[in-house]
Amino acid sequence: MRNLIDILDFSTEEIDGLISVANDIIENPDKYREVCRGKILGTLFFEPSTRTRLSFTSAMMSLGGAVLGFDNAASSSTAKGETVADTVRMVSAYSDIIAMRHPKEGAPIAASRVATVPIINAGDGGHFHPTQTLTDLLTIKRKCGKFDGLTVGVCGDLKYGRTVHSLISAMSRYTGVKFVLISPAELALPDYVKEDFLDGRCEYVENPDLEAAIPTLDILYMTRIQRERFSDPEEYERLKDSYILNAAKLKNAKPTLSILHPLPRVNEIDVDVDDDPRAHYFDQAAFGRYIRMALILFLLDTKGVDDRRISGSENPELECTNPHCLSRTERGIKKLFEGEKCIYCDQRAIRK
Ligand code: CP
């Protein structure tokens, strides 16, 4: 059985295949209307969502399947103290595939260790969001026609922005991709993302000056400052308007620039950018439905195939100190490490 926990669970060839199917669905929707008749998607959203949950729902309904689930942990037995593992064991019995979003990093890995159906990570804390990346890659392929050789500016909350972490890990596999990391120092990209996906693999520069960076970019990927991840509300207030893109700031941008944003936006893109032909963020969100249709078809077809990701071993000398990691709060979870890294959140563990 295959899962999608991390975008690197899929090879670049498999991603190309998903993009081809998504493009075919866009061209020939009638061909796909009944292909999941009798199948059920479980959507377990322990955190708010508009695009991801509704595009998954729309995707399964557009394939002829049905959807069950919850959009709020408070309306599930989580509110009574049930673990993620027990919740997922149960929903595995009621559905054929599960998409889950959880505020704790590593929750989808814990789920995949007990599930009997494929698990899709629909966002885990400030860690990864691989189905947003599939959406981003479909958008880039349709708007830029290629992945190789692009200069990609990622701007805003690079610390907690899970969409950025997954996008960087995916794009760093292509040839000649350069990243410009545009953030305040307090919201810089975490070390594990730099070490795993950039250092020694991909050219990148850190440049906090958005306007100076814009003329060099093929893609500008704006992100929201993630208020819900801040432990200090005053720090959020200080940083929330660090970057506001508007039409005036685009005057020296390339005519071929693609402006992307995973959405929701707060203040970081002024509405005066929306009519710019280079603003693709609403198309990007719409494409999410088609790539998620392709993903559901792919994962339902790979039942019976061994997942490559289940790994890690216990090490009583190590401790994950990431306060946002599920392994620190979930009862009965095996604390697993690969080398010195926690397998749930990818952060370096400390020796006790
Ligand atoms: N891009 C994204 O994940 O949006 P939602 O939070 O609305 O699902």
Side-chain angles (χ1 to χ4, degrees), residues 10-27:
F10 286 3
S11 67
T12 53
E13 291 76 19
E14 286 170 335
I15 289 172
D16 286 345
L18 291 175
I19 289 173
S20 292
V21 173
N23 282 325
D24 193 50
I25 292 169
I26 291 168
E27 296 299 317

mmCIF file of all heavy atoms in Angstrom, residues 10-27:
data_model
loop_
_atom_site.group_PDB
_atom_site.id
_atom_site.type_symbol
_atom_site.label_atom_id
_atom_site.label_comp_id
_atom_site.label_asym_id
_atom_site.label_seq_id
_atom_site.Cartn_x
_atom_site.Cartn_y
_atom_site.Cartn_z
ATOM 1 N N PHE A 10 6.950 10.212 -3.615
ATOM 2 C CA PHE A 10 6.698 9.977 -5.044
ATOM 3 C C PHE A 10 7.939 10.383 -5.839
ATOM 4 O O PHE A 10 8.526 11.443 -5.593
ATOM 5 C CB PHE A 10 5.515 10.823 -5.533
ATOM 6 C CG PHE A 10 4.158 10.338 -5.071
ATOM 7 C CD1 PHE A 10 4.014 9.258 -4.212
ATOM 8 C CD2 PHE A 10 3.015 10.967 -5.515
ATOM 9 C CE1 PHE A 10 2.773 8.817 -3.792
ATOM 10 C CE2 PHE A 10 1.756 10.538 -5.104
ATOM 11 C CZ PHE A 10 1.637 9.468 -4.244
ATOM 12 N N SER A 11 8.284 9.556 -6.825
ATOM 13 C CA SER A 11 9.397 9.904 -7.715
ATOM 14 C C SER A 11 8.950 11.031 -8.656
ATOM 15 O O SER A 11 7.741 11.277 -8.828
ATOM 16 C CB SER A 11 9.811 8.681 -8.532
ATOM 17 O OG SER A 11 8.764 8.332 -9.416
ATOM 18 N N THR A 12 9.919 11.653 -9.309
ATOM 19 C CA THR A 12 9.559 12.704 -10.280
ATOM 20 C C THR A 12 8.760 12.100 -11.441
ATOM 21 O O THR A 12 7.878 12.755 -11.997
ATOM 22 C CB THR A 12 10.808 13.431 -10.820
ATOM 23 O OG1 THR A 12 11.725 12.468 -11.312
ATOM 24 C CG2 THR A 12 11.473 14.261 -9.742
ATOM 25 N N GLU A 13 9.049 10.838 -11.772
ATOM 26 C CA GLU A 13 8.293 10.187 -12.852
ATOM 27 C C GLU A 13 6.837 9.978 -12.424
ATOM 28 O O GLU A 13 5.911 10.163 -13.217
ATOM 29 C CB GLU A 13 8.918 8.830 -13.221
ATOM 30 C CG GLU A 13 10.279 8.916 -13.894
ATOM 31 C CD GLU A 13 11.423 9.242 -12.916
ATOM 32 O OE1 GLU A 13 11.254 9.063 -11.690
ATOM 33 O OE2 GLU A 13 12.482 9.683 -13.405
ATOM 34 N N GLU A 14 6.646 9.594 -11.154
ATOM 35 C CA GLU A 14 5.268 9.416 -10.671
ATOM 36 C C GLU A 14 4.521 10.755 -10.645
ATOM 37 O O GLU A 14 3.328 10.818 -10.981
ATOM 38 C CB GLU A 14 5.272 8.770 -9.279
ATOM 39 C CG GLU A 14 5.626 7.292 -9.346
ATOM 40 C CD GLU A 14 5.883 6.659 -7.982
ATOM 41 O OE1 GLU A 14 6.253 7.371 -7.021
ATOM 42 O OE2 GLU A 14 5.757 5.426 -7.894
ATOM 43 N N ILE A 15 5.233 11.819 -10.274
ATOM 44 C CA ILE A 15 4.591 13.146 -10.280
ATOM 45 C C ILE A 15 4.227 13.553 -11.709
ATOM 46 O O ILE A 15 3.133 14.067 -11.964
ATOM 47 C CB ILE A 15 5.493 14.182 -9.581
ATOM 48 C CG1 ILE A 15 5.505 13.885 -8.068
ATOM 49 C CG2 ILE A 15 5.027 15.610 -9.848
ATOM 50 C CD1 ILE A 15 6.482 14.699 -7.255
ATOM 51 N N ASP A 16 5.136 13.279 -12.655
ATOM 52 C CA ASP A 16 4.804 13.561 -14.070
ATOM 53 C C ASP A 16 3.534 12.817 -14.471
ATOM 54 O O ASP A 16 2.685 13.355 -15.194
ATOM 55 C CB ASP A 16 5.946 13.107 -14.997
ATOM 56 C CG ASP A 16 7.151 14.033 -14.915
ATOM 57 O OD1 ASP A 16 7.008 15.145 -14.382
ATOM 58 O OD2 ASP A 16 8.231 13.617 -15.374
ATOM 59 N N GLY A 17 3.417 11.560 -14.007
ATOM 60 C CA GLY A 17 2.228 10.763 -14.331
ATOM 61 C C GLY A 17 0.959 11.382 -13.750
ATOM 62 O O GLY A 17 -0.076 11.457 -14.427
ATOM 63 N N LEU A 18 1.036 11.857 -12.504
ATOM 64 C CA LEU A 18 -0.140 12.502 -11.887
ATOM 65 C C LEU A 18 -0.530 13.770 -12.652
ATOM 66 O O LEU A 18 -1.721 14.041 -12.861
ATOM 67 C CB LEU A 18 0.148 12.862 -10.424
ATOM 68 C CG LEU A 18 0.307 11.700 -9.444
ATOM 69 C CD1 LEU A 18 0.698 12.223 -8.065
ATOM 70 C CD2 LEU A 18 -0.983 10.895 -9.340
ATOM 71 N N ILE A 19 0.479 14.532 -13.062
ATOM 72 C CA ILE A 19 0.194 15.767 -13.808
ATOM 73 C C ILE A 19 -0.480 15.435 -15.146
ATOM 74 O O ILE A 19 -1.442 16.095 -15.559
ATOM 75 C CB ILE A 19 1.490 16.589 -13.989
ATOM 76 C CG1 ILE A 19 1.914 17.177 -12.636
ATOM 77 C CG2 ILE A 19 1.314 17.693 -15.026
ATOM 78 C CD1 ILE A 19 3.268 17.860 -12.633
ATOM 79 N N SER A 20 -0.007 14.368 -15.801
ATOM 80 C CA SER A 20 -0.624 13.965 -17.082
ATOM 81 C C SER A 20 -2.074 13.576 -16.880
ATOM 82 O O SER A 20 -2.955 13.960 -17.663
ATOM 83 C CB SER A 20 0.100 12.758 -17.691
ATOM 84 O OG SER A 20 1.349 13.129 -18.092
ATOM 85 N N VAL A 21 -2.340 12.798 -15.805
ATOM 86 C CA VAL A 21 -3.731 12.386 -15.551
ATOM 87 C C VAL A 21 -4.580 13.609 -15.222
ATOM 88 O O VAL A 21 -5.709 13.751 -15.721
ATOM 89 C CB VAL A 21 -3.798 11.331 -14.419
ATOM 90 C CG1 VAL A 21 -5.249 11.040 -14.031
ATOM 91 C CG2 VAL A 21 -3.097 10.044 -14.847
ATOM 92 N N ALA A 22 -4.048 14.518 -14.392
ATOM 93 C CA ALA A 22 -4.815 15.727 -14.041
ATOM 94 C C ALA A 22 -5.147 16.535 -15.294
ATOM 95 O O ALA A 22 -6.282 17.019 -15.457
ATOM 96 C CB ALA A 22 -4.027 16.581 -13.048
ATOM 97 N N ASN A 23 -4.183 16.667 -16.209
ATOM 98 C CA ASN A 23 -4.450 17.398 -17.454
ATOM 99 C C ASN A 23 -5.509 16.685 -18.284
ATOM 100 O O ASN A 23 -6.378 17.325 -18.899
ATOM 101 C CB ASN A 23 -3.154 17.572 -18.250
ATOM 102 C CG ASN A 23 -2.286 18.689 -17.679
ATOM 103 O OD1 ASN A 23 -2.807 19.695 -17.186
ATOM 104 N ND2 ASN A 23 -0.973 18.528 -17.738
ATOM 105 N N ASP A 24 -5.459 15.346 -18.292
ATOM 106 C CA ASP A 24 -6.472 14.586 -19.039
ATOM 107 C C ASP A 24 -7.857 14.762 -18.404
ATOM 108 O O ASP A 24 -8.861 14.886 -19.114
ATOM 109 C CB ASP A 24 -6.085 13.100 -19.077
ATOM 110 C CG ASP A 24 -6.922 12.338 -20.092
ATOM 111 O OD1 ASP A 24 -7.020 12.798 -21.250
ATOM 112 O OD2 ASP A 24 -7.526 11.308 -19.723
ATOM 113 N N ILE A 25 -7.902 14.808 -17.068
ATOM 114 C CA ILE A 25 -9.188 15.025 -16.376
ATOM 115 C C ILE A 25 -9.754 16.399 -16.753
ATOM 116 O O ILE A 25 -10.957 16.538 -17.008
ATOM 117 C CB ILE A 25 -9.002 14.901 -14.845
ATOM 118 C CG1 ILE A 25 -8.684 13.449 -14.464
ATOM 119 C CG2 ILE A 25 -10.251 15.390 -14.116
ATOM 120 C CD1 ILE A 25 -8.227 13.273 -13.011
ATOM 121 N N ILE A 26 -8.879 17.405 -16.809
ATOM 122 C CA ILE A 26 -9.339 18.757 -17.170
ATOM 123 C C ILE A 26 -9.939 18.751 -18.577
ATOM 124 O O ILE A 26 -10.974 19.363 -18.843
ATOM 125 C CB ILE A 26 -8.168 19.768 -17.054
ATOM 126 C CG1 ILE A 26 -7.778 19.952 -15.577
ATOM 127 C CG2 ILE A 26 -8.534 21.116 -17.676
ATOM 128 C CD1 ILE A 26 -6.469 20.697 -15.346
ATOM 129 N N GLU A 27 -9.269 17.993 -19.483
ATOM 130 C CA GLU A 27 -9.736 17.948 -20.887
ATOM 131 C C GLU A 27 -10.957 17.053 -21.067
ATOM 132 O O GLU A 27 -11.809 17.320 -21.916
ATOM 133 C CB GLU A 27 -8.603 17.418 -21.796
ATOM 134 C CG GLU A 27 -7.373 18.300 -21.867
ATOM 135 C CD GLU A 27 -7.685 19.683 -22.410
ATOM 136 O OE1 GLU A 27 -8.443 19.790 -23.386
ATOM 137 O OE2 GLU A 27 -7.190 20.672 -21.823
#
